[in-house]
Amino acid sequence: MQNYQAPNEQGFFGEHGGVYVAETLIPALQELAQAYAAAKQDPQFWADFERDLKHYVGRPSPVYHAERLSKHLGGAQIWLKREDLNHTGAHKINNTIGQALLARRMGKKRVIAETGAGQHGVASATVAARFGMECHVYMGADDIIRQAPNVFRMKLLGANVVSVESGSRTLKDAMNEAMREWVARVDDTFYIIGTAAGPAPYPEMVRDFQCVIGREAQAQMQEAIGRQPDVAVACVGGGSNAIGLFHPYIAETQTRLVGVEAGGLGIHTASHAAPISSHAPIGVLHGFRSYLMQDDNGQILGTHSVSAGLDYPGIGPEHSHLHDIKRVEYTVANDEAALQAFDLLCLYEGIIPALESSHALAWAVENAPKMGKDQVILVNLSGRGDKDINTVAKLKGIEI
Ligand SMILES: *Cc1c(COP(=O)(O)O)cnc(C)c1O
């Protein structure tokens, strides 16, 4: 793992990734790839990025020793990387700041994004306001109804929310529509993708922006305990918070890396969102090749998770590769385990976690008791749970 290098020139992580899009999109992706390659070499670009992460996002986010929770579980020490403390309440802002800076560098005055639960839409609308750009967010008509508070947030931030009425009227259709719009207006429009997926160069670019999580964690853990954690764990939807934590640790093989997919009602039911854990075959969706939940005819299967942010049939290509080369272990937490972990963090630490992050916590809740008290688990707390309280209340049968 010392000389781990990915992706290759064609945007492949092993056999995953690449560029699988209509020919009309190729020039846009080439322009983007060239612009990012140039930005990546430019110290000024990273200085601007770091300044915004510090003064706008509020980084570095702390690492926090969850002492009461660790004591309650009676085993390994649980530490949290507090991405929930970022401006807008999750890790997604790290990536949207990076892409907005790149859009500005490319002279694009208009950004588009697609969103399912609305979290990436809000993060995109936020940076568009911050950088004075026009913002259009594509959202399935059904999701617009389900996610009304986030739709209103986007509007407050000055974004135009475009209702997508086609297909299943959810994220999948919104992505298709955003792609169409990008082709039509590529000269002045930048497409902000919200996770470490999509055609090259997006998976690499999003990873690079999110790696601030893992780099900070390494310095902070060294300072706090004089060494690195025995395990670093993160939830995996498309995979951006997880790759951000894992990537700087790839060469540090003394730290086990664990990615937690959404087990929903169980991976032996039809209601989950766990492509790797359910041994899904390789397929192509949204411009890249990776493990993908599909039936024998290649039709994309429906997914379910209690957390909207993990409810995706695919997984970013670098995760599929890290699974293939066995550097990261992928497993699942079911809805119920995530909800239990959610409750525990509220009650023992005074922190309401996002339901997505609760999946990573669930791994710690299950495994900490089997480990020694001198061992350390670092959990990426990717976001705060204020957005999820209605979901949790409903599941508990409580009216709020
Ligand atoms: C969107 C989201 C996720 C899932 O996305 P990844 O790209 O897999 O990180 C996880 N946690 C939170 C809080 C989110 O908002």
Side-chain angles (χ1 to χ4, degrees):
M1 303 294 162
Q2 284 311 315
N3 42 22
Y4 176 88
Q5 267 284 347
N8 69 11
E9 293 269 298
Q10 285 72 43
F12 278 94
F13 302 83
E15 54 178 320
H16 308 277
V19 175
Y20 294 84
V21 297
E23 219 160 303
T24 48
L25 261 180
I26 298 287
L29 285 164
Q30 277 172 347
E31 185 198 1
L32 178 64
Q34 275 162 16
Y36 182 59
K40 204 168 169 168
Q41 304 301 324
D42 182 355
Q44 188 59 49
F45 179 77
W46 295 107
D48 290 346
F49 182 57
E50 271 157 35
R51 197 189 51 218
D52 260 52
L53 290 184
K54 180 172 176 196
H55 296 286
Y56 189 67
V57 177
R59 304 200 71 93
S61 66
V63 289
Y64 167 74
H65 185 191
E67 274 180 271
R68 288 196 68 232
L69 179 63
S70 305
K71 203 163 178 189
H72 169 70
L73 294 169
Q77 302 307 308
I78 296 172
W79 287 70
L80 308 174
K81 178 63 172 155
R82 298 289 309 274
E83 293 299 298
D84 61 310
L85 293 178
N86 294 340
H87 177 46
T88 69
H91 69 290
K92 286 195 171 74
I93 191 84
N94 304 326
N95 168 49
T96 53
I97 292 272
Q99 291 194 44
L101 282 169
L102 187 60
R104 186 176 73 177
R105 193 185 156 98
M106 293 171 76
K108 314 269 177 184
K109 299 193 163 42
R110 190 169 174 272
V111 296
I112 59 172
E114 91 295 306
T115 194
Q119 294 305 111
H120 175 57
V122 170
S124 299
T126 299
V127 297
R130 156 76 185 85
F131 291 101
M133 292 164 174
E134 192 183 315
C135 179
H136 301 268
V137 180
Y138 291 80
M139 200 165 176
D142 287 359
D143 287 338
I144 288 184
I145 296 165
R146 279 198 291 247
Q147 309 291 341
N150 273 339
V151 173
F152 188 56
R153 277 187 193 100
M154 288 179 240
K155 289 181 177 166
L156 286 173
L157 294 162
N160 171 35
V161 179
V162 184
S163 175
V164 177
E165 314 278 345
S166 56
S168 59
R169 297 152 58 101
T170 58
L171 178 63
K172 203 157 53 35
D173 317 289
M175 287 183 113
N176 293 336
E177 204 55 39
M179 288 261 185
R180 251 195 293 277
E181 174 69 8
W182 195 32
V183 175
R185 290 197 55 170
V186 66
D187 48 319
D188 70 343
T189 299
F190 188 101
Y191 179 21
I192 303 184
I193 289 187
T195 189
Y202 282 103
E204 174 191 8
M205 190 166 75
V206 175
R207 172 197 77 196
D208 292 348
F209 294 143
Q210 293 291 3
C211 273
V212 64
I213 301 172
R215 279 198 306 269
E216 282 180 6
Q218 286 179 330
Q220 291 167 321
M221 293 310 289
Q222 189 62 40
E223 194 186 324
I225 61 167
R227 67 180 182 94
Q228 295 305 320
D230 299 285
V231 189
V233 51
C235 66
V236 185
S240 69
N241 86 88
I243 202 68
L245 177 66
F246 295 165
H247 194 264
Y249 278 101
I250 289 174
E252 308 228 11
T253 46
Q254 75 279 13
T255 298
R256 262 176 85 189
L257 303 175
V258 178
V260 183
E261 298 183 310
L265 304 182
I267 53 169
H268 303 295
T269 72
S271 300
H272 63 80
I276 290 185
S277 304
S278 68
H279 309 290
I282 290 173
V284 170
L285 183 69
H286 299 139
F288 68 104
R289 182 184 143 91
S290 192
Y291 293 117
L292 176 65
M293 290 170 55
Q294 56 195 300
D295 67 16
D296 293 342
N297 301 316
Q299 293 293 316
I300 309 304
L301 292 173
T303 53
H304 160 82
S305 169
V306 71
S307 68
L310 302 185
D311 204 349
Y312 183 65
I315 182 167
E318 192 158 17
H319 287 290
S320 292
H321 179 53
L322 290 168
H323 167 71
D324 290 350
I325 65 172
K326 298 189 164 60
R327 176 60 186 100
V328 180
E329 302 159 48
Y330 292 87
T331 180
V332 283
N334 295 354
D335 288 354
E336 205 180 307
L339 286 163
Q340 269 166 13
F342 175 97
D343 280 343
L344 284 174
L345 201 70
C346 291
L347 294 173
Y348 281 91
E349 297 294 345
I351 298 170
I352 303 178
L355 282 174
E356 291 85 0
S357 325
S358 300
H359 286 71
L361 274 172
W363 188 91
V365 168
E366 186 189 336
N367 290 278
K370 304 175 201 160
M371 295 166 63
K373 288 194 172 62
D374 55 347
Q375 292 192 288
V376 173
I377 301 172
L378 176 64
V379 176
N380 201 14
L381 201 71
S382 54
R384 65 175 179 231
D386 303 59
K387 67 182 177 62
D388 294 318
I389 58 171
N390 289 315
T391 307
V392 172
K394 210 165 166 186
L395 288 163
K396 289 177 186 284
I398 297 168
E399 220 167 299
I400 56 171

